[in-house]
Amino acid sequence: MLACRFRTWVLLLLVIFPSLFDPSFSHFDSAKKKQMREKVRKMFYHAYENYMTHAFPHDELKPLSRSFTDSLSELGNLKLEHLPQNYNGTALTLIESLSSLVILGNYTEFERAVLWLSENLTFDVDARVNLFECNIRVLGGLVSAHILATDSTNRLVQGSYKNQLLVLAEDLGRRFLPAFDTPTGLPYAWINLKYGVMKNETTETSTSGCGSLILEMGALSRLTGDPRYESAALRALRKLWSMRSSLNLLGTTLDVETGEWIEHSSGIGAGVDSFYEYLFKAHILFGKEDFWRMFHSAYLAVQKYFRHGPWYHEADMRTGKATYWQLTSLQAFWPGLQVLVGDIAAANSSHREFVHVWKKFGVLPERYLLDHQMLHPTEKYYPLRPELAESTFYLYQATKDPWYIEVGETIVNSLNSYTKVEGGFASIRDVTTMQTEDHMHSFFLAETCKYLYLLFDDSFLVDRNYIFTTEGHPLPVLSAWHERLPEIYIPSNWTYVKNERQTKRSSAMSLQVCPASSLNAGHGEQLVESACHVPDDQSDHKCFSDEECGVDSTSCRRRSCSMAGYCGLWLVV
C-alpha cells in the first residue's frame, strides 16, 4: 500500500513539477531566452537602421512614409504652440540609442555615433523645448553615454574620446538653468535653448516636470564638479515636497511663480509618475536619507489613498477621495518601482492586471476606464510605450519566475505582429482596429527594446550596479557619489541585511526590513514600519474577498478575508 502511494506521489510530482526530473528543462529555458534575445536584437536593428537611413540626423522616424520629424519641440506640446521655424533636429533618436547599443554589445556603432555627435551636435538653436522631456531624453542620454564611453569595459579606441559628450551635456545643463529663476525655485516647463525663458511663458507645469530632474542634473554635477545643476534640481524637489497635503499627497499641475496647485487630483500615472520614481532612485544614486524619507511617506500615502485591490485610481490630494477610476499605460511602470522597494507581492498583483489588459487588446491602450470596463473614447492609442516591458524585466530579476519570460514573449510577438512595418515600428492609433500611425518615438529604442533585451539577456548587469532613469538610461551606483553608501548596495545588486543571528532578505535597496523592526529594539522604542505595508481597502477592515485585504506591516504577510468578513492574518486549517 505504501509503495502504491509512493508511486502515486511520484506521478503527481512528474505532472506538476516536470522540471524536477527533467534535466533538459533548464536547457530549454536557456534556449528560449536566447531565441527571444535574438528576436529583440532584430527588432532593435530594424528600427535603428531605418532611422539612420530615413531620418538621421533629424529627431524621430516616421516609419510609414519613411521620412522624419523634428519632434523635440513637440514633446509635451499638445497644442503644438511656438514651434521653431529653422530647427532641423538634434539626432534625438541616435542620442537615445547610445546606451542600448552598448547593452547589445555593438561598441563599433556606439563609437561611430559618439564621434558623430562630438563633431556635429550643437544646442545653440532657436528652439523652445520641454525641460522635462529634454532632460530625460537628451541630457540623460548624453550623461549615461559619457559614463559608458569612459568605462574600462566599454572603452573606445584609445584617444578617440576626450569627454566630448560631457562637454555637450554641460552646455545643455547651463541652458536649463534660467528655467529655475522663479520666486519658488520651481522651474518653468519650457525653455528656449538659445534665448532662455521666453516673454509671457506659461507658468503652469506638472509634478513630474519639476520633480523629475534630480538624477540627470545631479549626475551632471558629480561629473563636472559644478554644483549648480544638482542644487537647482534639489531646491525644486524640496519645494515641491513642501507643497504636499496633510495626507502626504501631491497634485498633478501647479504654478511655478505662485507655488499654488492648479489640479488637485493625481495618481501614479501621467504628470506625477516619475516624481515617485526619482525620489527612490535618487536615494539609491546619491545616498541621501532625505530622499528615502520623502519616498517612504509618499509611497505609504499612495498605497492608502490610490490603491484598490491590484489597481490604482486617482484621488484628491486634499481629501484622499477617489476622483477618476482609470488605468493609464504609464502606470505600468509602478510594479517595477515596487520591485526596487521590495514590495514583490503588490508588484506582481498589479503587473498581472496590466498583462491581462495587454492580452485583451493585443497591446496596452493609453487609457482604460475601470469603472465602466471600457476604453477611453479618445485615448485608444498605443505609442510603443515601454512600461510593461520594464516592470516585467524587474519582476523576472527579482523572482526568476519563467512566467515573466512568457510575458516578454507575448509583448515581443505583439509588437512584431501589430506594429512592425517595412520602415520600422509604427505606433498604434486605435487598439480596436490596430490602425497604425506614422511615428516611432525615440523611447522605443531607448527603453522598449532595451528592457526586452535585458529580460532575456542580463549579461550587461553582471557584477555591475546600475539604476535606470525614467528614459531607460543606465547610471552607475558609485560610492564616490554618496554621502553615505548604504551597506546593502556594496556587495552586489542582491540585497541582504546581516546580523549576528540570521541573514534576512531586506526590502531591496532600502534598510526597511521585513518584519518591521527597530535598529535598537528596546523598551518604549517604536517599530519602523516596513515598506511592504499595504492597508486594507476599508478602514474598518470589513471585506467580501481576499482582494480587499492588504499586506501586514509587521510580518509582510498577505492578509485574508475571514468567513465573518474581516481582514486579518487568519490561520488556514
Side-chain angles (χ1 to χ4, degrees):
M1 185 66 176
L2 288 173
C4 181
R5 285 183 177 179
F6 177 76
R7 286 194 296 271
T8 302
W9 278 110
V10 170
L11 287 171
L12 282 171
L13 285 170
L14 281 169
V15 171
I16 299 172
F17 301 113
S19 61
L20 295 177
F21 302 92
D22 183 1
S24 67
F25 182 80
S26 59
H27 174 72
F28 172 80
D29 185 49
S30 176
K32 168 62 73 174
K33 287 167 67 175
K34 287 181 181 178
Q35 177 191 7
M36 295 310 302
R37 177 193 67 191
E38 293 311 305
K39 276 192 174 183
V40 177
R41 186 190 299 274
K42 289 178 181 177
M43 287 170 59
F44 176 86
Y45 284 113
H46 180 68
Y48 180 79
E49 289 168 2
N50 269 287
Y51 165 74
M52 295 300 291
T53 301
H54 303 296
F56 174 78
H58 299 277
D59 286 335
E60 292 179 321
L61 172 67
K62 299 178 76 171
L64 300 181
S65 59
R66 299 193 200 181
S67 57
F68 60 84
T69 174
D70 289 317
S71 50
L72 185 60
S73 289
E74 299 173 6
L75 300 175
N77 191 353
L78 299 179
K79 297 180 181 178
L80 298 180
E81 299 174 317
H82 312 294
L83 295 178
Q85 301 299 313
N86 300 308
Y87 171 68
N88 295 309
T90 54
L92 175 63
T93 298
L94 181 63
I95 294 172
E96 289 260 70
S97 301
L98 293 174
S99 58
S100 297
L101 288 168
V102 172
I103 288 172
L104 267 65
N106 192 341
Y107 304 118
T108 301
E109 184 65 13
F110 175 69
E111 179 173 5
R112 190 170 77 92
V114 167
L115 294 179
W116 186 93
L117 291 168
S118 302
E119 296 169 1
N120 296 279
L121 185 61
T122 177
F123 296 116
D124 191 29
V125 292
D126 182 8
R128 175 181 177 265
V129 300
N130 183 277
L131 177 66
F132 167 75
E133 294 287 357
C134 197
N135 174 71
I136 65 172
R137 299 194 193 211
V138 184
L139 183 61
L142 292 172
V143 167
S144 176
H146 163 73
I147 293 171
L148 293 173
T150 54
D151 187 326
S152 60
T153 59
N154 309 322
R155 190 170 297 280
L156 304 182
V157 175
Q158 189 172 8
S160 66
Y161 184 69
K162 299 177 180 177
N163 298 333
Q164 298 99 313
L165 296 185
L166 182 59
V167 172
L168 286 167
E170 188 168 19
D171 177 48
L172 182 60
R174 280 194 295 266
R175 295 173 190 274
F176 284 175
L177 291 178
F180 294 84
D181 187 14
T182 65
T184 62
L186 298 167
Y188 287 98
W190 299 91
I191 187 80
N192 184 291
L193 291 177
K194 191 177 184 72
Y195 299 112
V197 178
M198 304 302 291
K199 186 177 180 181
N200 299 320
E201 184 58 85
T202 178
T203 59
E204 181 175 347
T205 191
S206 68
T207 298
S208 289
C210 55
S212 308
L213 306 166
I214 187 64
L215 294 187
E216 294 83 359
M217 296 187 73
L220 181 61
S221 282
R222 302 305 169 103
L223 291 168
T224 62
D226 187 337
R228 291 181 298 165
Y229 314 112
E230 183 175 359
S231 296
L234 186 57
R235 182 189 176 203
L237 183 59
R238 285 177 171 159
K239 173 60 180 178
L240 189 63
W241 181 244
S242 74
M243 294 166 58
R244 71 193 184 280
S245 72
S246 60
L247 306 179
N248 284 330
L249 297 176
L250 294 91
T252 302
T253 58
L254 58 139
D255 189 297
V256 300
E257 291 191 348
T258 66
E260 298 293 329
W261 289 105
I262 297 172
E263 176 55 68
H264 293 90
S265 176
S266 72
I268 58 168
V272 190
D273 49 359
S274 55
F275 165 75
Y276 295 110
E277 179 185 1
Y278 273 36
L279 279 180
F280 189 66
K281 289 183 176 179
H283 170 59
I284 298 172
L285 194 62
F286 303 123
K288 289 181 183 287
E289 287 301 312
D290 283 356
F291 292 134
W292 167 252
R293 285 192 287 269
M294 286 189 279
F295 173 78
H296 191 220
S297 297
Y299 183 77
L300 293 179
V302 165
Q303 297 298 86
K304 182 175 182 179
Y305 296 106
F306 296 162
R307 179 180 174 270
H308 182 78
W311 299 110
Y312 290 83
H313 57 73
E314 295 182 20
D316 190 302
M317 63 174 286
R318 300 164 295 188
T319 64
K321 291 184 178 179
T323 51
Y324 302 107
W325 293 79
Q326 56 188 1
L327 169 152
T328 63
S329 61
L330 288 170
Q331 292 175 350
F333 90 98
W334 188 254
L337 180 60
Q338 289 184 305
V339 169
L340 293 180
V341 181
D343 208 344
I344 307 298
N348 177 64
S349 177
S350 294
H351 177 267
R352 285 177 181 269
E353 297 299 328
F354 282 109
V355 172
H356 173 73
V357 175
W358 179 287
K359 290 182 177 179
K360 180 177 181 178
F361 294 102
V363 292
L364 200 60
E366 188 70 2
R367 198 175 297 269
Y368 183 78
L369 305 179
L370 296 172
D371 46 353
H372 298 293
Q373 290 294 296
M374 61 175 285
L375 286 170
H376 188 281
T378 60
E379 298 187 44
K380 302 177 182 180
Y381 53 88
Y382 169 67
L384 304 174
R385 289 202 188 279
E387 284 77 16
L388 184 59
E390 175 185 0
S391 287
T392 304
F393 156 70
Y394 278 115
L395 276 161
Y396 180 69
Q397 286 291 311
T399 66
K400 298 304 179 184
D401 185 336
W403 183 78
Y404 297 109
I405 297 296
E406 295 176 15
V407 172
E409 183 176 12
T410 297
I411 296 173
V412 168
N413 291 340
S414 293
L415 291 171
N416 280 314
S417 296
Y418 301 123
T419 72
K420 185 178 181 181
V421 296
E422 195 170 342
F425 285 83
S427 300
I428 299 295
R429 185 186 299 274
D430 185 337
V431 301
T432 63
T433 64
M434 290 300 177
Q435 177 188 2
T436 52
E437 186 174 359
D438 199 12
H439 195 182
M440 189 182 81
H441 289 273
S442 60
F443 56 64
F444 181 71
L445 289 168
E447 298 182 83
T448 309
C449 289
K450 178 182 291 159
Y451 285 122
L452 288 170
Y453 187 88
L454 287 171
L455 172 64
F456 304 121
D457 183 349
D458 61 0
S459 57
F460 171 77
L461 299 173
V462 173
D463 297 326
R464 300 179 182 183
N465 202 351
Y466 285 103
I467 57 103
F468 290 89
T469 69
T470 197
E471 195 70 8
H473 298 304
L475 296 174
V477 179
L478 304 171
S479 59
W481 286 12
H482 283 71
E483 292 181 350
R484 178 180 63 82
L485 184 68
E487 294 177 3
I488 55 175
Y489 303 142
I490 296 174
S492 71
N493 289 335
W494 305 111
T495 56
Y496 289 85
V497 174
K498 295 182 179 179
N499 59 32
E500 294 178 0
R501 294 184 180 180
Q502 60 181 332
T503 298
K504 288 195 244 180
R505 186 65 185 259
S506 77
S507 291
M509 302 185 183
S510 79
L511 291 178
Q512 300 300 110
V513 296
C514 226
S517 60
S518 171
L519 294 178
N520 300 301
H523 296 293
E525 188 122 15
Q526 289 186 338
L527 291 178
V528 178
E529 185 175 41
S530 66
C532 68
H533 178 222
V534 178
D536 299 330
D537 281 357
Q538 303 297 326
S539 58
D540 58 6
H541 309 294
K542 291 182 178 179
C543 57
F544 291 101
S545 68
D546 290 349
E547 287 296 323
E548 298 174 72
C549 301
V551 177
D552 187 72
S553 63
T554 57
S555 69
C556 293
R557 285 173 51 200
R558 287 289 308 182
R559 292 158 64 82
S560 58
C561 190
S562 70
M563 293 180 65
Y566 285 90
C567 292
L569 296 175
W570 310 114
L571 293 176
V572 179
V573 180

Coordinates of all heavy atoms in Angstrom, one line a residue, residues 385-428:
R385 N 4.9 52.2 -26.0 CA 5.4 52.5 -24.7 C 6.1 51.3 -24.1 O 5.8 50.2 -24.3 CB 4.3 52.9 -23.7 CG 3.8 54.3 -24.1 CD 3.1 54.9 -22.8 NE 2.4 56.2 -23.2 CZ 2.9 57.4 -23.3 NH1 4.3 57.5 -23.1 NH2 2.2 58.4 -23.6
P386 N 7.1 51.6 -23.2 CA 8.0 50.5 -22.6 C 7.6 50.0 -21.2 O 8.2 49.1 -20.7 CB 9.3 51.2 -22.5 CG 9.0 52.6 -22.2 CD 7.7 52.9 -22.9
E387 N 6.7 50.7 -20.5 CA 6.5 50.5 -19.1 C 6.2 49.0 -18.7 O 6.7 48.6 -17.7 CB 5.4 51.4 -18.6 CG 5.9 52.9 -18.4 CD 5.9 53.6 -19.7 OE1 5.3 53.1 -20.7 OE2 6.6 54.7 -19.8
L388 N 5.4 48.4 -19.5 CA 5.0 47.0 -19.1 C 6.3 46.1 -19.3 O 6.5 45.2 -18.4 CB 3.9 46.4 -19.9 CG 3.4 45.0 -19.6 CD1 3.0 45.0 -18.1 CD2 2.3 44.5 -20.5
A389 N 7.0 46.3 -20.3 CA 8.3 45.5 -20.5 C 9.3 45.8 -19.4 O 9.9 44.9 -18.9 CB 8.9 45.9 -21.9
E390 N 9.3 47.1 -19.0 CA 10.2 47.4 -17.9 C 9.8 46.7 -16.6 O 10.7 46.1 -15.9 CB 10.1 49.0 -17.6 CG 10.8 49.5 -16.5 CD 10.6 51.0 -16.2 OE1 9.8 51.6 -17.0 OE2 11.1 51.6 -15.3
S391 N 8.6 46.7 -16.2 CA 8.2 46.0 -15.0 C 8.3 44.5 -15.1 O 8.7 43.8 -14.1 CB 6.7 46.3 -14.7 OG 6.6 47.7 -14.2
T392 N 8.1 44.0 -16.3 CA 8.4 42.5 -16.5 C 9.8 42.2 -16.3 O 10.1 41.2 -15.6 CB 7.9 42.1 -17.9 OG1 6.6 42.5 -18.1 CG2 8.1 40.6 -18.1
F393 N 10.7 43.0 -16.8 CA 12.2 42.8 -16.5 C 12.5 42.8 -15.1 O 13.2 41.9 -14.6 CB 12.9 43.9 -17.3 CG 14.3 44.1 -16.7 CD1 15.3 43.2 -16.9 CD2 14.6 45.3 -16.0 CE1 16.6 43.4 -16.3 CE2 15.9 45.6 -15.5 CZ 16.9 44.6 -15.7
Y394 N 12.0 43.8 -14.3 CA 12.3 43.9 -12.9 C 11.7 42.7 -12.1 O 12.4 42.1 -11.2 CB 11.7 45.2 -12.3 CG 12.6 46.4 -12.5 CD1 12.2 47.4 -13.3 CD2 13.9 46.5 -12.0 CE1 13.0 48.6 -13.6 CE2 14.7 47.6 -12.2 CZ 14.2 48.6 -13.0 OH 15.0 49.7 -13.2
L395 N 10.5 42.3 -12.4 CA 9.9 41.1 -11.7 C 10.7 39.8 -12.0 O 10.8 39.0 -11.1 CB 8.4 41.0 -12.1 CG 7.5 42.0 -11.2 CD1 6.2 42.2 -11.9 CD2 7.4 41.4 -9.8
Y396 N 11.1 39.7 -13.2 CA 11.9 38.5 -13.5 C 13.2 38.5 -12.8 O 13.7 37.5 -12.3 CB 12.1 38.3 -15.0 CG 12.9 37.1 -15.4 CD1 12.3 35.8 -15.2 CD2 14.2 37.1 -15.8 CE1 13.1 34.6 -15.5 CE2 15.0 36.0 -16.1 CZ 14.4 34.8 -15.9 OH 15.1 33.6 -16.2
Q397 N 13.9 39.6 -12.7 CA 15.1 39.8 -12.0 C 14.9 39.4 -10.5 O 15.8 38.8 -9.9 CB 15.7 41.2 -12.1 CG 16.3 41.5 -13.4 CD 17.6 40.8 -13.7 OE1 18.5 40.7 -12.9 NE2 17.7 40.2 -14.8
A398 N 13.8 39.8 -10.0 CA 13.5 39.5 -8.5 C 13.1 38.1 -8.2 O 13.4 37.6 -7.2 CB 12.5 40.5 -8.0
T399 N 12.4 37.5 -9.2 CA 11.8 36.2 -8.9 C 12.4 35.0 -9.7 O 12.3 33.9 -9.2 CB 10.3 36.2 -9.1 OG1 10.0 36.4 -10.5 CG2 9.6 37.4 -8.4
K400 N 12.9 35.3 -10.9 CA 13.3 34.3 -11.8 C 12.2 33.3 -12.2 O 12.4 32.2 -12.6 CB 14.5 33.5 -11.3 CG 15.7 34.3 -11.0 CD 16.2 35.1 -12.3 CE 17.4 36.0 -12.0 NZ 17.8 36.8 -13.1
D401 N 11.0 33.8 -12.0 CA 9.8 33.0 -12.4 C 9.7 33.0 -14.0 O 9.6 34.1 -14.6 CB 8.5 33.7 -11.8 CG 7.3 32.9 -12.1 OD1 7.3 32.1 -13.0 OD2 6.3 33.0 -11.3
P402 N 9.7 31.8 -14.6 CA 9.7 31.8 -16.1 C 8.4 32.3 -16.7 O 8.4 32.6 -17.9 CB 9.9 30.3 -16.4 CG 9.5 29.6 -15.1 CD 9.8 30.5 -14.0
W403 N 7.4 32.5 -15.9 CA 6.2 33.1 -16.4 C 6.4 34.5 -17.0 O 5.8 34.9 -18.0 CB 5.1 33.2 -15.3 CG 3.8 33.8 -15.8 CD1 2.8 33.1 -16.5 CD2 3.3 35.1 -15.6 NE1 1.8 34.0 -16.8 CE2 2.0 35.2 -16.3 CE3 3.8 36.3 -15.0 CZ2 1.3 36.4 -16.3 CZ3 3.1 37.4 -15.1 CH2 1.8 37.5 -15.7
Y404 N 7.4 35.2 -16.4 CA 7.7 36.6 -16.9 C 8.4 36.5 -18.3 O 8.3 37.4 -19.1 CB 8.5 37.4 -15.9 CG 7.8 37.6 -14.6 CD1 8.1 36.9 -13.4 CD2 6.7 38.5 -14.6 CE1 7.4 37.1 -12.3 CE2 6.0 38.7 -13.4 CZ 6.3 38.0 -12.2 OH 5.6 38.2 -11.1
I405 N 9.1 35.4 -18.5 CA 9.7 35.2 -19.8 C 8.6 35.0 -20.8 O 8.6 35.6 -22.0 CB 10.6 34.0 -19.8 CG1 11.8 34.2 -18.9 CG2 11.1 33.7 -21.2 CD1 12.7 35.4 -19.3
E406 N 7.5 34.3 -20.4 CA 6.4 34.1 -21.3 C 5.7 35.5 -21.6 O 5.2 35.7 -22.7 CB 5.4 33.1 -20.7 CG 5.9 31.7 -20.5 CD 5.0 30.8 -19.8 OE1 3.8 31.2 -19.7 OE2 5.4 29.7 -19.4
V407 N 5.6 36.3 -20.6 CA 5.0 37.6 -20.8 C 5.8 38.4 -21.8 O 5.3 39.1 -22.7 CB 4.9 38.4 -19.4 CG1 4.5 39.9 -19.7 CG2 3.9 37.7 -18.5
G408 N 7.2 38.4 -21.6 CA 8.1 39.1 -22.5 C 7.9 38.6 -24.0 O 7.9 39.4 -24.9
E409 N 7.7 37.3 -24.1 CA 7.5 36.7 -25.4 C 6.2 37.2 -26.0 O 6.1 37.5 -27.2 CB 7.5 35.2 -25.3 CG 7.3 34.5 -26.7 CD 7.4 33.0 -26.6 OE1 7.3 32.4 -25.5 OE2 7.5 32.3 -27.7
T410 N 5.1 37.3 -25.2 CA 3.9 37.9 -25.7 C 4.0 39.3 -26.2 O 3.5 39.7 -27.2 CB 2.8 37.8 -24.5 OG1 2.6 36.5 -24.1 CG2 1.5 38.5 -24.9
I411 N 4.8 40.1 -25.4 CA 5.0 41.5 -25.8 C 5.7 41.6 -27.1 O 5.4 42.3 -28.0 CB 5.7 42.3 -24.7 CG1 4.9 42.3 -23.4 CG2 6.1 43.7 -25.2 CD1 5.6 42.9 -22.2
V412 N 6.8 40.8 -27.2 CA 7.6 40.8 -28.5 C 6.7 40.4 -29.7 O 6.8 41.0 -30.7 CB 8.8 39.8 -28.3 CG1 9.5 39.6 -29.7 CG2 9.8 40.4 -27.3
N413 N 6.0 39.3 -29.5 CA 5.1 38.8 -30.6 C 4.1 39.8 -31.0 O 3.8 40.0 -32.2 CB 4.5 37.5 -30.2 CG 5.5 36.3 -30.1 OD1 6.6 36.4 -30.7 ND2 5.1 35.3 -29.4
S414 N 3.5 40.5 -30.0 CA 2.5 41.6 -30.3 C 3.1 42.7 -31.1 O 2.6 43.2 -32.1 CB 1.9 42.1 -29.0 OG 1.1 41.1 -28.4
L415 N 4.3 43.1 -30.7 CA 5.0 44.3 -31.3 C 5.3 43.9 -32.8 O 5.1 44.7 -33.7 CB 6.3 44.6 -30.6 CG 6.0 45.3 -29.2 CD1 7.4 45.5 -28.5 CD2 5.4 46.7 -29.4
N416 N 5.8 42.7 -33.0 CA 6.1 42.2 -34.4 C 4.8 42.0 -35.2 O 4.8 42.3 -36.4 CB 6.9 41.0 -34.3 CG 8.4 41.2 -34.0 OD1 9.0 42.1 -34.6 ND2 8.9 40.4 -33.1
S417 N 3.8 41.6 -34.6 CA 2.5 41.4 -35.3 C 1.8 42.6 -35.7 O 1.3 42.8 -36.8 CB 1.6 40.5 -34.5 OG 2.1 39.2 -34.3
Y418 N 1.7 43.6 -34.8 CA 0.9 44.7 -35.0 C 1.6 46.1 -35.3 O 1.0 47.0 -35.9 CB 0.0 45.0 -33.7 CG -0.8 43.8 -33.3 CD1 -0.7 43.2 -32.1 CD2 -1.8 43.3 -34.2 CE1 -1.5 42.1 -31.7 CE2 -2.6 42.2 -33.9 CZ -2.4 41.6 -32.6 OH -3.2 40.5 -32.2
T419 N 2.8 46.2 -34.9 CA 3.5 47.5 -35.1 C 4.7 47.5 -36.1 O 5.1 48.5 -36.5 CB 4.0 48.0 -33.7 OG1 5.2 47.3 -33.3 CG2 2.9 47.9 -32.6
K420 N 5.2 46.3 -36.4 CA 6.3 46.3 -37.3 C 5.8 46.5 -38.7 O 4.9 45.9 -39.2 CB 7.0 44.9 -37.3 CG 8.3 44.8 -38.1 CD 8.9 43.5 -38.0 CE 10.2 43.4 -38.8 NZ 10.9 42.1 -38.7
V421 N 6.5 47.5 -39.4 CA 6.2 47.8 -40.8 C 7.6 47.8 -41.5 O 8.6 47.7 -40.9 CB 5.5 49.2 -40.9 CG1 4.1 49.1 -40.3 CG2 6.4 50.3 -40.3
E422 N 7.5 47.9 -42.8 CA 8.8 47.8 -43.6 C 9.7 48.9 -43.2 O 11.0 48.7 -43.3 CB 8.4 47.9 -45.1 CG 9.6 47.5 -46.0 CD 9.2 47.4 -47.4 OE1 8.0 47.3 -47.7 OE2 10.1 47.3 -48.3
G423 N 9.2 50.1 -42.8 CA 10.1 51.2 -42.5 C 10.4 51.4 -41.0 O 10.9 52.4 -40.6
G424 N 10.2 50.4 -40.2 CA 10.5 50.5 -38.8 C 9.3 49.9 -37.9 O 8.8 48.8 -38.3
F425 N 9.0 50.5 -36.8 CA 7.9 50.2 -36.0 C 7.0 51.4 -35.8 O 7.5 52.5 -35.5 CB 8.4 49.7 -34.6 CG 9.0 48.3 -34.6 CD1 10.3 48.1 -35.0 CD2 8.2 47.2 -34.3 CE1 10.9 46.8 -35.1 CE2 8.7 45.9 -34.4 CZ 10.1 45.7 -34.8
A426 N 5.7 51.2 -36.0 CA 4.8 52.3 -36.0 C 3.9 52.2 -34.8 O 3.5 51.2 -34.3 CB 3.9 52.3 -37.3
S427 N 3.5 53.4 -34.3 CA 2.6 53.5 -33.2 C 1.2 53.0 -33.6 O 0.9 53.0 -34.8 CB 2.5 54.9 -32.7 OG 3.7 55.4 -32.2
I428 N 0.4 52.6 -32.6 CA -1.0 52.2 -32.9 C -1.9 53.3 -32.6 O -1.9 53.9 -31.5 CB -1.4 51.0 -32.1 CG1 -0.5 49.8 -32.4 CG2 -2.9 50.6 -32.3 CD1 -0.6 49.2 -33.8

